[in-house]
């Protein structure tokens, strides 16, 4: 596609439920990144994929967070047993060799 | 350890004036890249300008220029002739290493408000 697509754009979930956030990167972009942005804050790195493997997952805050990428394309970020502190905007970006980073519009997650 | 520091939580500027947004960074890697992004209230991240650690010249893109002072580890963004549409959050970010891949580490951001 023309840009990085994220779905859903908004998600409200009850505390304790699992959620899945999806990122569809720009076609041909081999690198994919997940970030989290709390209200009025900077972007917190979560995980980076190169193809289907994750050479850097140092930013995942707990074992409730996991991510996978299949076919070198779509990625899913899963948060299990959501907590109120998980409420944030989750941003995905993709990049290619010699290119810059293109960000999606984000998924706003609200845990109630 | 904080690797990117933006010390100005908020900045105000008069329309048509120039403004400088501060950014300092910390890395032991001699190879790195520095980025500036704009985030309007809509939430999208808009790439503005890039400076590589080995670049001899300061980067410029239209009204944006990056004042790169390597010895001081600073990479300040200068916006000339401010416009009302420049009102947004601005983030400085760094990528370490030679590769053009890898995570960006972001600062906390500066909210710029342009007054008419």
């Amino acid at each position: 596609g023309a840009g990085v697509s994220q779905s859903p754009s908004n998600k409200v979930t009850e505390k304790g439920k699992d959620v899945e956030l999806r990122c569809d990167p720009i076609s041909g972009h081999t690198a994919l990144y997940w970030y989290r942005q709390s209200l009025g804050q900077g972007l917190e790195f979560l995980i980076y994929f190169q193809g289907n493997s994750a050479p850097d997952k140092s930013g995942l805050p707990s074992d409730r967070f996991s991510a996978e990428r299949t076919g070198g394309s779509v990625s899913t970020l899963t948060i299990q047993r959501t907590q109120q502190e998980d409420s944030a905007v989750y941003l995905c970006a993709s990049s290619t060799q010699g290119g810059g980073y293109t960000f999606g519009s984000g998924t706003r997650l609200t845990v109630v | 350890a904080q690797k990117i520091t933006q010390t100005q939580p908020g900045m105000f500027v008069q329309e048509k004036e120039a403004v400088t947004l501060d950014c300092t960074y910390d890395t032991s890697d001699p190879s790195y890249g520095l980025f500036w992004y704009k985030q309007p209230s809509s939430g999208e991240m808009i790439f503005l300008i890039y400076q590589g650690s080995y670049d001899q010249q300061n980067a410029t893109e239209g009204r944006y220029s990056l004042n790169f002072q390597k010895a001081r580890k600073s990479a300040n963004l200068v916006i000339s002739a401010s416009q009302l549409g420049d009102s947004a959050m601005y983030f400085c970010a760094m990528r370490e290493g030679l590769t053009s891949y890898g995570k960006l580490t972001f600062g906390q951001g500066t909210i710029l408000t342009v007054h008419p």
Side-chain angles (χ1 to χ4, degrees):
Chain A
V4 177
S5 178
Q6 291 189 247
S7 60
S9 55
N10 280 284
K11 176 73 177 179
V12 180
T13 190
E14 292 182 354
K15 178 181 172 181
K17 301 278 191 181
D18 297 352
V19 294
E20 285 189 351
L21 311 180
R22 176 188 168 106
C23 174
D24 199 345
I26 292 174
S27 178
H29 280 200
T30 58
L32 185 147
Y33 312 81
W34 283 98
Y35 287 86
R36 178 169 72 174
Q37 186 177 25
S38 300
L39 189 63
Q41 299 297 309
L43 278 70
E44 174 190 11
F45 169 77
L46 298 178
I47 188 169
Y48 151 50
F49 286 95
Q50 183 62 262
N52 291 337
S53 63
D56 189 347
K57 47 179 120 176
S58 61
L60 294 177
S62 74
D63 58 9
R64 295 187 296 105
F65 288 72
S66 64
E68 65 174 12
R69 188 179 185 197
T70 55
S73 181
V74 172
S75 176
T76 303
L77 177 68
T78 302
I79 308 173
Q80 295 179 310
R81 304 182 302 281
T82 51
Q83 304 294 313
Q84 288 187 328
E85 61 262 30
D86 299 334
S87 296
V89 175
Y90 289 82
L91 287 163
C92 176
S94 68
S95 71
T96 189
Q97 179 70 29
Y101 299 75
T102 303
F103 283 82
S105 299
T107 293
R108 181 175 299 278
L109 176 66
T110 304
V111 182
V112 298
Chain B
Q2 183 107 2
K3 291 196 170 185
I4 295 285
T5 304
Q6 295 181 252
T7 56
Q8 306 154 316
M11 287 286 285
F12 295 87
V13 66
Q14 205 74 24
E15 193 179 9
K16 299 178 186 176
E17 298 288 312
V19 62
T20 298
L21 306 183
D22 294 342
C23 173
T24 58
Y25 60 92
D26 184 28
T27 181
S28 56
D29 196 326
S31 304
Y32 52 89
L34 297 157
F35 300 74
W36 277 92
Y37 283 86
K38 172 184 178 181
Q39 187 178 45
S41 56
S42 59
E44 61 189 307
M45 292 289 286
I46 301 168
F47 167 74
L48 296 178
I49 198 166
Y50 168 81
Q51 180 87 39
S53 60
Y54 297 113
D55 293 344
Q56 296 296 312
Q57 306 274 355
N58 285 346
T60 60
E61 289 285 349
R63 293 187 299 111
Y64 304 107
S65 61
L66 200 152
N67 184 1
F68 181 45
Q69 297 188 41
K70 196 168 182 176
R72 297 180 59 188
K73 293 189 174 179
S74 75
N76 298 339
L77 177 71
V78 181
I79 305 174
S80 63
S82 297
Q83 302 172 354
L84 296 178
D86 294 335
S87 293
M89 175 80 94
Y90 288 80
F91 291 103
C92 179
M94 178 176 66
R95 179 188 62 219
E96 292 174 313
L98 276 173
T99 178
S100 59
Y101 297 114
K103 71 180 181 187
L104 292 177
T105 301
F106 285 84
Q108 291 300 298
T110 296
I111 299 175
L112 177 65
T113 304
V114 181
H115 289 302

